[in-house]
């Protein structure tokens, strides 16, 4: 009787290990990228590397709408609810930097606020920060479309690092 129980436990452990290895292989192959969503995001794209330069020079640029923000952009007096922001050079005092963007495909229905929040969190978790980030007290802030802006074509979920102390960041926090 004891050997039967041991064999059953061994088989269960073996199945668990093999299942874990298969899941891990699929995840590494990119099949796990849409986790936390309702499937409506299809083949969206996450951006975590800044373009060079992130935003067109010369800087500062006043009145830049969120749709024009690029990964790597730094913002003075940042307000995630604002319709326009000031993009500044990252070596000058700023209060936020865009560190990741997830772009949903153009087709598809509004996935809901909870799904968008989860996707924004996923984008934040994917962002790799440079050692310079350790020199500042930073928080993550997420921005995502409302149902109204989604209907107008907004398919973008953003992740920012922000400084609670105002324009105190004086370097890019991205590698």
């Amino acid at each position: 009787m004891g050997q039967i129980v041991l064999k059953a436990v061994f088989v269960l452990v073996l199945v668990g290990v093999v299942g874990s290895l298969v899941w891990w292989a699929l995840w590494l192959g990119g099949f796990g990228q849409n986790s936390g969503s309702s499937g409506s995001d299809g083949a969206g794209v996450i951006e975590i590397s800044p373009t060079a330069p992130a935003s067109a020079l010369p800087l500062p640029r006043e009145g830049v709408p969120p749709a024009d923000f690029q990964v790597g952009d730094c913002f003075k007096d940042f307000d995630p609810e604002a319709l326009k922001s000031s993009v500044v050079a990252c070596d000058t005092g700023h209060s936020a930097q865009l560190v990741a963007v997830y772009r949903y495909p153009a087709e598809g229905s509004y996935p809901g606020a909870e799904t968008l929040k989860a996707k924004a969190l996923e984008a934040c978790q994917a962002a790799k920060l440079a050692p310079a980030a350790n020199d500042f007290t930073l928080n993550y802030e997420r921005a995502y479309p409302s149902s109204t802006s989604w209907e107008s074509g907004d398919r973008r979920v953003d992740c920012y690092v922000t400084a609670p102390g105002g324009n105190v960041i004086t370097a890019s926090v991205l590698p």
Side-chain angles (χ1 to χ4, degrees):
M1 181 72 170
Q3 286 186 343
I4 294 174
V5 171
L6 283 175
K7 286 181 183 180
V9 168
F10 176 75
V11 169
L12 287 174
V13 169
L14 184 61
V15 167
V17 168
V18 170
S20 296
L21 289 174
V22 169
W23 175 84
W24 187 59
L26 290 173
W27 182 77
L28 285 177
F31 294 101
Q33 291 178 352
N34 290 331
S35 63
S37 70
S38 64
S40 63
D41 62 343
V45 176
I46 191 165
E47 300 170 24
I48 56 172
S49 297
T51 53
S55 214
L57 297 176
L59 296 175
R61 287 181 44 220
E62 303 291 329
V64 179
D68 293 344
F69 295 171
Q70 301 291 319
V71 172
D73 278 351
C74 294
F75 305 94
K76 181 179 178 185
D77 301 321
F78 183 69
D79 175 2
E81 303 289 321
L83 298 177
K84 295 186 178 189
S85 295
S86 298
V87 179
V88 298
C90 291
D91 60 356
T92 63
H94 58 281
S95 59
Q97 184 169 5
L98 181 60
V99 296
V101 170
Y102 183 86
R103 296 181 193 275
Y104 280 85
E107 68 282 343
S109 59
Y110 183 68
E114 290 307 312
T115 297
L116 292 170
K117 284 180 191 177
K119 188 54 75 175
L121 178 60
E122 187 180 313
C124 287
Q125 291 170 337
K128 305 294 184 239
L129 300 183
N134 297 327
D135 296 339
F136 310 100
T137 301
L138 300 173
N139 298 316
Y140 284 104
E141 279 204 44
R142 302 171 282 174
Y144 49 89
S146 66
S147 60
T148 304
S149 66
W150 183 275
E151 293 304 319
S152 298
D154 182 6
R155 299 292 195 272
R156 188 179 150 144
V157 174
D158 294 342
C159 176
Y160 302 88
V161 292
T162 60
N167 297 313
V168 297
I169 308 170
T170 55
S172 175
V173 297
L174 290 176

